Amino acid sequence: MTSIVDIARQGLGGLLRKEGLSCSCGKRHHTELREVVMQAGALQETPRLVEKYGGSRVFLIADQNTYQVAGQKAAALLGEAGIDHEVFIFADDYVQPTDASLEQVLAKFSGDCDMILGVGSGTINDISKLAAKERGVSYICVATAPSMDGFVSNTSSMVMKGIKVSIESTVPLAVVADLDILAAAPERLLQAGFGDILAKYTSIAEWRISNLITGEYYCEQIAELMRMAVRNCVANVEGLAKREPEAVKYVMESLILSGIAMAFAGFTRPASGVEHYFSHTWDMRYLEFHTPKDFHGIQCGIGTVLTLEVYDQIKKLTPSREKGLSYVESFDLAKWHQFVQEYLGRSGAGLVEQERKERKYDQAAHRQRLEVIVQKWGQILEIIQTELPSVAQVRGYLQAVGAPVSPTEIGISYADARRAFKVSKDIRNKYNASWLLWDLGCLDEVADSLWQDRE
């Protein structure tokens, strides 16, 4: 059996077989993505792709910026090709991936359109994928910046009823990645895409740790796809800083590969861990309290630095059954729920309700996990040592492209970073660093000690 990693080394196309790919993990992995056109001038291919994948009347979605960058030209190309289309442009300068934004699109969607063409990256892509799912039509993405890894994932990262959630959505049949457009994207968006790729260091480590402690499904081939994506990007970091097309191409390929990996796994675990939950928490607080925030990938890059510093502290610990059991037995869940709701507002109330359904703080389940942690601590440390680079390395990569490396650079205090870390175990039902520390009975002491010298 040819490995998936070997196939990926020959190019993305080999991963897109309609019949899927058999894997040594025992599963057959597949994605609905069928084609990626990544080259200079790729926007010209838009009408061909629309016709190839059955679009006869297209609903084009863009925002004010992406319409100017590529949407207007894409619409003109559709017109020249005789393809009927309608155009929806968000009126707001800064569109949020919320239920309200989705409702705007669905309200304007014409019933006789059979394809959505999303012109944009993060937010526009997430909304477009979900709108295609809601209306039961196919979807093609025209990327305008290599800024995040959700282009071809089977979920949309949305804020629904105030809670940051990943919702099942339509995978694009094709992606148009015009290198002329991508290389000219705002510097902050290039930095964001790079930051989202660096996050795979910690997401893969946490996936492996979760597999060890909870038995969660894990695939080494998918994990290696993510490692390869990171290696390709950091090897070309100097070129990215200079906007060299080849370096930009590596970042975009890696971001698409990340989405393929999520589709192969069937969930977001290969691409996100606690570093992403810093970002999700800051997004939720922004919507509730108008606190500072930045692009998702920028926040993920910072979150990766913070997470590596957390794991530096975890490496110093020695597990104690007595300490873990005593901490959990005295844990005041009602007080914790009050904190979550005060810190996150309306979204906090949703997380509390979600936790009650998941029974995340069940003491019997904790005892089982704690026993595994104590018995397999050496293996956990080995995963941390082998998967994670040093804090200095990742800081250096981010600084090489001019990206921020600390929350204070985007207006967020280290005190807030400590609170965000504590609440990160509640954002998703995925085992991560904060959950591990809670199991060990060390969450408060470790979290409260973090970054004190930087206040």
Side-chain angles (χ1 to χ4, degrees):
M1 179 190 301
T2 303
S3 77
I4 289 175
V5 175
D6 287 338
I7 292 172
R9 290 192 181 107
Q10 305 305 313
L12 293 176
L15 300 175
L16 309 183
R17 301 173 189 173
K18 190 173 183 179
E19 69 276 14
L21 297 165
S22 295
C23 181
S24 55
C25 75
K27 290 191 174 186
R28 177 172 285 274
H29 302 308
H30 71 279
T31 173
E32 298 302 316
L33 177 67
R34 290 290 165 263
E35 189 169 350
V36 176
V37 181
M38 190 180 311
Q39 62 194 35
L43 189 63
Q44 298 289 333
E45 297 294 307
T46 304
R48 176 186 69 80
L49 293 171
V50 167
E51 292 179 331
K52 178 177 180 179
Y53 294 105
S56 61
R57 185 169 180 81
V58 175
F59 189 76
L60 187 153
I61 302 172
D63 65 22
Q64 298 289 327
N65 293 321
T66 63
Y67 186 71
Q68 293 300 319
V69 169
Q72 188 172 19
K73 179 63 174 177
L77 290 168
L78 293 176
E80 292 169 8
I83 300 172
D84 289 339
H85 60 279
E86 297 180 20
V87 176
F88 173 83
I89 306 170
F90 281 99
D92 296 336
D93 290 334
Y94 188 51
V95 183
Q96 292 292 321
T98 63
D99 37 13
S101 297
L102 175 64
E103 288 166 7
Q104 286 186 56
V105 170
L106 296 180
K108 295 294 185 179
F109 183 85
S110 175
D112 59 353
C113 289
D114 55 12
M115 177 180 284
I116 287 177
L117 185 72
V119 181
S121 295
T123 296
I124 294 299
N125 183 62
D126 279 332
I127 293 171
S128 297
K129 288 195 298 180
L130 194 51
K133 178 76 171 180
E134 291 285 327
R135 289 295 181 255
V137 299
S138 56
Y139 174 54
I140 288 177
C141 172
V142 175
T144 54
S147 58
M148 54 86 230
D149 67 0
F151 288 105
V152 302
S153 70
N154 53 1
T155 60
S156 288
S157 185
M158 302 286 291
V159 178
M160 309 296 276
K161 297 181 179 179
I163 302 177
K164 191 82 172 186
V165 293
S166 293
I167 303 177
E168 183 180 353
S169 60
T170 295
V171 174
L173 291 169
V175 174
V176 178
D178 191 319
L179 292 178
D180 293 331
I181 293 172
L182 299 182
E187 182 181 44
R188 199 68 162 183
L189 295 179
L190 295 176
Q191 295 167 351
F194 185 62
D196 210 350
I197 289 299
L198 291 182
K200 296 357 169 193
Y201 280 126
T202 46
S203 66
I204 293 302
E206 291 197 322
W207 192 17
R208 289 185 62 190
I209 290 170
S210 179
N211 168 255
L212 193 65
I213 296 172
T214 72
E216 178 183 345
Y217 163 74
Y218 171 77
C219 174
E220 176 59 25
Q221 290 289 306
I222 294 175
E224 184 56 26
L225 288 179
M226 291 294 83
R227 296 187 193 105
M228 182 176 69
V230 176
R231 288 194 299 267
N232 287 343
C233 286
V234 299
N236 289 274
V237 64
E238 292 182 4
L240 182 63
K242 299 174 184 176
R243 293 177 177 269
E244 293 176 359
E246 190 68 14
V248 173
K249 182 179 180 181
Y250 271 118
V251 172
M252 188 64 189
E253 283 182 344
S254 295
L255 293 168
I256 290 177
L257 189 61
S258 180
I260 293 171
M262 287 187 270
F264 279 5
F267 52 16
T268 61
R269 175 64 96 170
S272 71
V274 77
E275 77 293 323
H276 269 61
Y277 303 157
F278 282 103
S279 180
H280 294 339
T281 299
W282 295 333
D283 286 348
M284 287 189 282
R285 281 182 54 77
Y286 167 80
L287 289 171
E288 183 73 11
F289 305 115
H290 306 293
T291 51
K293 74 177 293 291
D294 210 303
F295 291 111
H296 169 72
I298 295 293
Q299 295 179 161
C300 286
I302 294 168
T304 301
V305 173
L306 297 175
T307 302
L308 291 172
E309 292 177 323
V310 169
Y311 275 104
D312 279 347
Q313 297 303 310
I314 290 175
K315 288 187 291 187
K316 300 174 184 178
L317 301 176
T318 300
S320 164
R321 291 183 182 87
E322 294 73 19
K323 185 172 185 175
L325 292 172
S326 175
Y327 176 86
V328 169
E329 286 171 4
S330 62
F331 184 71
D332 190 333
L333 186 55
K335 184 178 179 181
W336 173 250
H337 283 167
Q338 182 181 353
F339 165 74
V340 172
Q341 293 181 79
E342 290 174 352
Y343 180 57
L344 294 175
R346 289 172 297 171
S347 58
L351 290 179
V352 168
E353 181 60 30
Q354 176 180 293
E355 185 278 315
R356 287 178 175 141
K357 294 177 181 178
E358 295 169 350
R359 293 179 58 82
K360 185 173 292 185
Y361 295 104
D362 180 75
Q363 291 191 13
H366 165 257
R367 285 193 293 272
Q368 292 176 354
R369 293 194 304 270
L370 181 59
E371 189 59 34
V372 176
I373 292 168
V374 171
Q375 292 182 10
K376 298 187 177 181
W377 187 245
Q379 292 171 257
I380 293 170
L381 291 179
E382 184 181 3
I383 291 171
I384 295 171
Q385 295 283 6
T386 57
E387 293 288 354
L388 299 182
S390 70
V391 175
Q393 280 179 290
V394 172
R395 278 195 187 128
Y397 293 144
L398 289 169
Q399 288 169 336
V401 299
V405 299
S406 67
T408 55
E409 292 176 72
I410 60 172
I412 296 171
S413 70
Y414 276 103
D416 187 80
R418 284 192 290 273
R419 290 188 286 268
F421 176 65
K422 285 186 178 182
V423 85
S424 64
K425 65 187 184 310
D426 293 69
I427 304 300
R428 297 278 193 276
N429 191 21
K430 290 197 291 189
Y431 201 77
N432 59 27
S434 56
W435 205 344
L436 173 61
L437 284 168
W438 187 85
D439 280 348
L440 289 166
C442 299
L443 178 58
D444 294 326
E445 65 182 77
V446 170
D448 291 343
S449 71
L450 292 167
W451 315 304
Q452 289 288 350
D453 58 339
R454 303 178 203 173
E455 296 290 0

